[in-house]
Amino acid sequence: MKRPVARLRVMVLSVVACVVAGLLGVTAAAGTAYAAPANPNPINWKVEKLFYDQYGNDVPLRTGQDDYTSPSGQMIDGFGRVHIQQHGVVPPAQDIQATIANPEYCIPGADARVRCTNGETNLFVVYSPVPDPRSGDSYAFGIITAYYILPCFAPSPGHTPASGRTSAPESAAGVHPDCAPSVPALPTTLTYTGPTRGTNGSPLTLSASLVDDLGIPVLHKTLDFTVGADGGGTPQSCQGTTGPAGTARCTIGELRQRSGAVTATVTFAGDDGFKPSSATSSLAPQSPTAVKYTGPAQAVNGRPLTLSATLKDYAGSPVPDQTLSFRIGTGDAAQACHAATDASGAARCAIADLHQPPTSVPVTVAFAGADGYEPSSDSATVAVKSPTTLKYTGPTRLANGTAVTLSGVLKDYLGAPVADRSVRFVLGEGTAAQSCEGTTDAAGTARCTVGRADQPLNDAATVPLRAAFAGDAHYLASSANATLLLEYYTGRAYGLSAELALPLLPPVALPPQPDTGRVRTASAGRTAPACTTAVQALVLTADGLCPSVTTTLAPGTSTAGSRVATATIGLPGLPVIGVSGLTATATSTCERATGSAHLSLTIGGKAVTVPTAPNSGISLPGGSRLVINEQQPVSGASQGITVNAVHLVVAGGVGDVVLGSVTSAVHNCAA
């Protein structure tokens, strides 16, 4: 008969005193770590038979190993067939299968092993469903042991012998709860597998592996890692969870420990299924260092030269009492000196009489490293002659089609003017580059003129400029870069646009048409799409619509124009608006921006005197409004204006109609 689950739980958790003499119990001696060496009885991972448990998972019976004594004299329990045979015989396969496949017989333990007690056959089976990397296959660790439990003096309460079974005496068919094997916590072995060296200021990943007494990886357990708990600094900790191989990892984001050696400790606190364990290792933190050359970049032969540098650790703190070695020049001509760092990490030493080739020579400073400190170095160059500086002093803006005079000032390393030297100026780049050359005067100023600027317009409206002094036997080369703003022109013109969402009428959405689009150029030109003969919408008609944008150079001008021969707007609730002979113009130069609008206007069939002032308004019934010669400045332009000849604003925000819209602007005016 099947034993109820509640009784099975009592059986598994009870203390047992009566098991088959000489057969293996589930209490195991402490084992060695996974992959531990010197096992005189190596594991045979061969799968001899596959069973399946209550979840349909494959549970192998492996050849396994028998008990053995470790090199330390510790008795290690085995598992699998050879272990079972070492203490008895392997139960029939059908009994093992019937036992592990019945959910009423099996309880997963806190130690991840499943223990099954068959109340009908008195068979006790222990298996691990955890895969083990050592097996080299994809199956679980498998059956650890299987044996029959001898019946106690009293049968289990309420037991009714199973009918039709002859493989075991009827008196053994029921097992008294006091006869069930006990389930002690399993010993564990924790092995530190992380690094033994670390670099202060950098991440440090720690790792360890946790296995049970049979070397089976223990999964999903939290391991606590600590570095530096032995004093001398602030301990740093992190936690990791064991994965499929029993390995846990965690990372200390930035190692900060004293130089030398500290202790790395990993601890498993234990739980109901596994006993606690710990491991330690020595960790040697190393502090990176940074040498920074702080000496001069220029020198004069025949004069003393003081070289200097600083030495700091990974945290930017000074490193005192360490020797820095300075070297200037190369080969046999090199000169050297040495100095110790002070409390601020600075070191200085002097070359009494500098003798180096009259050019830029290398200077290096090196720290060879010391106990707990890594080596580092830095390098620079020293100009052993008169360096120069070149500063661009010309205009910051230019306009195509006009002359532009470029200038710069050349000085030596002491700031004195450098006369009678040629400076080359290059405006633009690539195939658009324009250049000229000038000679410095007594004040060090060089000037030259590009007769007619002709530069392309980029997205930023900028033109690169480079001024360069090539250098000679007495002065080092120098250069200056600048970015000039390019004057450019924008404009747009269109005949009409409309957005109407009137009650009881289909919506009207007329994008600007005909439309020049947004014109942006630094050159002279004209944009004029074909005129539109007629536009018809539900409440709007127009004909003879012609927009254009024209730009000129020297002087730079942007002119936008729009003509509308006739237009009629008939909206429900409003008198019919008639427009004819409409012209709108917007003209912008660097001096000013002007706009105008001319048209004839009728409202409800009656002629209306057209206001001449910009932004003149005419009120209409219901709160609608007609704006004539609407003008607005162009934001961000040096000069610019937008003119809407006629702008109808329908009350309630349900409509907007524009006739004759023009925009012109000038940007980055060079004048």
Side-chain angles (χ1 to χ4, degrees):
M1 68 179 260
K2 294 184 180 179
R3 186 178 298 275
V5 175
R7 179 168 296 175
L8 177 59
R9 293 182 182 272
V10 174
M11 291 173 61
V12 175
L13 297 176
S14 299
V15 178
V16 63
C18 46
V19 295
V20 175
L23 293 185
L24 176 67
V26 296
T27 304
T32 57
Y34 167 71
N39 180 354
N41 186 20
I43 299 173
N44 185 334
W45 291 98
K46 179 181 177 182
V47 175
E48 298 193 353
K49 186 171 181 62
L50 279 176
F51 298 91
Y52 62 90
D53 64 8
Q54 58 181 302
Y55 305 107
N57 299 321
D58 290 327
V59 179
L61 174 63
R62 301 183 185 274
T63 302
Q65 67 178 21
D66 55 14
D67 301 347
Y68 72 92
T69 302
S70 71
S72 63
Q74 195 174 29
M75 184 64 184
I76 309 300
D77 286 337
F79 77 97
R81 177 183 60 77
V82 297
H83 168 72
I84 296 172
Q85 288 181 332
Q86 184 183 15
H87 298 278
V89 296
V90 178
Q94 62 268 27
D95 283 359
I96 295 175
Q97 179 60 69
T99 299
I100 70 172
N102 193 328
E104 293 188 84
Y105 292 161
C106 299
I107 297 178
D111 57 3
R113 298 183 182 185
V114 180
R115 292 169 174 81
C116 304
T117 306
N118 190 331
E120 297 182 5
T121 64
N122 289 348
L123 179 62
F124 183 69
V125 181
V126 181
Y127 72 91
S128 171
V130 178
D132 195 307
R134 296 173 295 176
S135 68
D137 58 37
S138 60
Y139 298 121
F141 183 89
I143 294 175
I144 297 171
T145 188
Y147 58 89
Y148 293 99
I149 303 172
L150 288 178
C152 289
F153 296 105
S156 60
H159 167 65
T160 300
S163 61
R165 294 192 59 87
T166 59
S167 58
E170 278 201 358
S171 59
V175 179
H176 194 276
D178 291 340
C179 297
S182 62
V183 185
L186 295 178
T188 60
T189 299
L190 192 56
T191 304
Y192 177 77
T193 59
T196 58
R197 296 176 64 88
T199 301
N200 277 324
S202 298
L204 177 68
T205 298
L206 306 170
S207 63
S209 64
L210 182 67
V211 298
D212 66 12
D213 59 320
L214 290 176
I216 303 173
V218 179
L219 315 184
H220 312 306
K221 303 300 180 183
T222 299
L223 304 186
D224 295 294
F225 296 83
T226 302
V227 173
D230 49 342
T234 302
Q236 295 176 274
S237 302
C238 61
Q239 289 185 328
T241 302
T242 56
T247 298
R249 295 177 179 83
C250 70
T251 298
I252 294 174
E254 183 180 356
L255 184 65
R256 289 183 176 269
Q257 295 294 321
R258 70 176 191 273
S259 299
V262 297
T263 299
T265 302
V266 56
T267 302
F268 169 54
D271 55 23
D272 292 342
F274 295 96
K275 293 181 179 180
S277 56
S278 63
T280 61
S281 176
S282 179
L283 181 73
Q286 292 288 311
S287 290
T289 62
V291 172
K292 182 174 179 59
Y293 175 73
T294 58
Q298 300 141 3
V300 178
N301 277 325
R303 296 181 183 179
L305 174 64
T306 298
L307 303 172
S308 62
T310 58
L311 178 65
K312 296 184 179 181
D313 66 9
Y314 72 101
S317 301
V319 180
D321 303 322
Q322 302 297 329
T323 299
L324 301 186
S325 299
F326 296 84
R327 180 184 176 90
I328 184 169
T330 59
D332 295 338
Q335 296 172 276
C337 62
H338 310 277
T341 56
D342 60 18
S344 67
R348 299 172 184 82
C349 68
I351 304 295
D353 189 5
L354 185 65
H355 290 285
Q356 291 295 317
T359 183
S360 293
V361 295
V363 57
T364 59
V365 54
F367 169 54
D371 185 23
Y373 292 104
E374 296 179 351
S376 59
S377 64
D378 193 20
S379 62
T381 57
V382 174
V384 189
K385 64 177 181 178
S386 297
T388 61
T389 59
L390 182 60
K391 182 178 181 180
Y392 175 72
T393 58
T396 59
R397 301 187 181 199
L398 74 153
N400 282 335
T402 63
V404 55
T405 298
L406 309 172
S407 63
V409 176
L410 182 66
K411 296 182 179 181
D412 68 11
Y413 73 104
L414 294 175
V418 178
D420 300 321
R421 260 69 183 181
S422 178
V423 177
R424 179 178 175 81
F425 297 86
V426 179
L427 182 66
E429 58 189 353
T431 58
Q434 297 174 280
S435 63
C436 62
E437 290 188 10
T439 301
T440 57
D441 58 18
T445 300
R447 296 181 179 85
C448 68
T449 300
V450 174
R452 186 178 186 276
D454 184 12
Q455 293 296 314
L457 177 64
N458 59 22
D459 290 343
T462 57
V463 178
L465 179 136
R466 180 177 176 82
F469 165 56
D472 56 27
H474 302 285
Y475 295 97
L476 293 176
S478 59
S479 63
N481 293 316
T483 300
L484 280 59
L485 295 177
L486 179 62
E487 182 177 304
Y488 69 98
Y489 319 101
T490 58
R492 185 183 187 184
Y494 61 86
L496 66 83
S497 67
E499 288 287 340
L500 298 170
L502 303 174
L504 306 178
L505 292 178
V508 175
L510 293 178
Q513 57 184 282
D515 187 5
T516 63
R518 300 185 186 275
V519 176
R520 182 178 184 273
T521 181
S523 304
R526 176 178 170 80
T527 301
C531 296
T532 299
T533 57
V535 174
Q536 291 186 343
L538 185 64
V539 292
L540 173 66
T541 62
D543 59 39
L545 294 83
C546 298
S548 66
V549 174
T550 302
T551 57
T552 63
L553 300 179
T557 305
S558 173
T559 302
S562 179
R563 291 186 291 109
V564 178
T566 61
T568 301
I569 305 172
L571 304 183
L574 292 179
V576 175
I577 299 170
V579 175
S580 62
L582 182 151
T583 61
T585 304
T587 301
S588 297
T589 67
C590 283
E591 287 72 33
R592 60 179 181 170
T594 59
S596 64
H598 301 281
L599 64 140
S600 296
L601 177 66
T602 62
I603 298 178
K606 296 181 180 180
V608 176
T609 300
V610 178
T612 59
N615 300 305
S616 297
I618 299 175
S619 297
L620 299 174
S624 296
R625 188 166 180 266
L626 196 65
V627 182
I628 306 299
N629 193 16
E630 184 179 54
Q631 296 188 7
Q632 296 176 345
V634 176
S635 176
S638 298
Q639 295 286 348
I641 190 170
T642 294
V643 177
N644 293 323
V646 176
H647 185 185
L648 172 61
V649 181
V650 183
V654 299
D656 188 274
V657 178
V658 173
L659 296 176
S661 179
V662 290
T663 299
S664 69
V666 180
H667 307 258
N668 297 337
C669 277

